[in-house]
Amino acid sequence: KPLKVFILAGQSNMEGHAEVRTFDYLGKDPLTAPILKEMRNPDGTPRVCDHVWMSYLTGPYDGSANGEGLGKLTAGFGARGENPTKNGGKIGPEFTFGIYLEKELAQSILIIKAAWGGRSLNTEFRPPSAGRYTLPKETQDLWDKHPQGAHGIPKLEDRQKWQDQKDAASGVFYRMLVDHVKTVLANPKRVCPEYDPSAGYELAGFVWLQGFNDLVDGQTYPDRNYDEYSRLLSHFIRDIRKDLSAPKMPFVIGVLGVGGEKENESFRKAMAAPAEEPEFKGNVIAV
């Protein structure tokens, strides 16, 4: 069978900050106790998947000193801070995602994960087809009323410099993500020794878990109007499929859970909205 390749991307939610020492708590709830059994060996150590392999690109918040973590999937592929190549003792969504996929598919799996904390979709992950970052009218009108600057608004003479910096930051992490996936897939056997070149590989799915930096960005989303996030995410889905030559690659939107189901409702709806677009029916889902 072709090697199943899954891509996981996002910010700190996707990095994962759950420490191994917190695993015991899963056993206290009957709903999650069975998951804990899948996560551990009989002796209590974190499980190592026999047929799931990881390539994990991460680094500091600014993307400097990026590094790649490699190996069979187990605990430790969560947030890694300043040491991206070293086991950080934490997990992200990749751990149980890979455990259950291995059970379901019964074949070799490669997970390519790329995640950095503190990055927005409107700037650092900005997809190329979304166009240049521009201030929404409400924010621009506010800035125009304060040419001398105030409350985080740059002075009039500093605004071209601000735009230049915004342009320079736009899409940087999107390109890092795409470049890393292409690098890994140019030689899958480097990461997954079980890869059979004669069988090839299949880009079987993409999982996006991001959103907090957009949620709290009142400059880009005045009055908590997040329609622009929906537009950007739709562009992201189209662009990532195009740039990876996978036009129908299944795409999962992990809807932000900060505050639970009742808080941040407008943002949660905006995140999920692309899954309802006719062009994405059947191959994009919001969870």
Side-chain angles (χ1 to χ4, degrees), residues 61-206:
Y61 275 27
D62 61 0
S64 65
N66 278 341
E68 181 186 26
L70 294 168
K72 286 185 174 181
L73 175 63
T74 186
F77 285 101
R80 293 188 166 188
E82 300 295 320
N83 297 301
T85 64
K86 296 182 180 180
N87 184 326
K90 297 180 178 181
I91 67 165
E94 76 290 332
F95 190 40
T96 47
F97 180 81
I99 287 172
Y100 279 87
L101 277 177
E102 184 178 44
K103 287 183 65 176
E104 179 71 22
L105 299 176
Q107 68 169 94
S108 299
I109 296 166
L110 169 58
I111 296 176
I112 304 173
K113 176 176 165 180
W116 301 268
R119 304 300 88 192
S120 72
L121 181 59
N122 70 67
T123 301
E124 293 88 359
F125 275 114
R126 191 176 189 86
S129 67
R132 187 187 191 195
Y133 180 99
T134 57
L135 291 172
K137 184 179 184 304
E138 297 91 333
T139 304
Q140 186 64 62
D141 289 346
L142 179 63
W143 282 27
D144 290 345
K145 292 178 182 178
H146 297 279
Q148 297 307 312
H151 307 295
I153 300 173
K155 294 180 180 180
L156 185 61
E157 61 266 27
D158 295 331
R159 291 179 190 174
Q160 185 57 54
K161 179 181 178 182
W162 176 90
Q163 183 67 60
D164 291 343
Q165 291 174 337
K166 200 71 170 175
D167 291 344
S170 290
V172 169
F173 284 74
Y174 175 92
R175 294 189 291 273
M176 286 182 186
L177 163 63
V178 171
D179 289 347
H180 182 63
V181 172
K182 289 183 175 180
T183 296
V184 173
L185 294 181
N187 181 17
K189 203 171 185 68
R190 177 183 69 89
V191 182
C192 176
E194 295 180 339
Y195 174 65
D196 178 2
S198 65
Y201 63 81
E202 172 195 356
L203 279 171
F206 191 110

Side-chain angles (χ1 to χ4, degrees), residues 266-285:
S266 59
F267 185 70
R268 289 166 53 79
K269 286 183 176 179
M271 287 197 77
E276 299 302 318
E277 294 185 20
E279 66 175 298
F280 295 143
K281 282 289 187 181
N283 56 37
V284 176
I285 191 170

Side-chain angles (χ1 to χ4, degrees), residues 11-30:
Q11 56 178 128
S12 59
N13 323 62
M14 184 58 83
E15 283 184 300
H17 287 269
E19 298 187 22
V20 172
R21 62 181 174 81
T22 69
F23 286 6
D24 287 343
Y25 291 96
L26 288 170
K28 297 181 180 296
D29 186 333

Side-chain angles (χ1 to χ4, degrees), residues 193-252:
E194 295 180 339
Y195 174 65
D196 178 2
S198 65
Y201 63 81
E202 172 195 356
L203 279 171
F206 191 110
V207 181
W208 176 248
L209 188 55
Q210 182 274 344
F212 186 79
N213 277 63
D214 289 84
L215 169 69
V216 298
D217 186 349
Q219 171 185 282
T220 305
Y221 310 99
D223 301 319
R224 298 179 68 84
N225 180 346
Y226 296 108
D227 289 349
E228 174 68 359
Y229 189 94
S230 302
R231 185 186 78 87
L232 291 169
L233 186 52
S234 294
H235 278 288
F236 185 98
I237 296 169
R238 296 184 198 106
D239 287 354
I240 203 75
R241 286 171 164 175
K242 176 177 178 287
D243 289 339
L244 298 180
S245 302
K248 294 295 183 181
M249 177 174 60
F251 194 102
V252 175

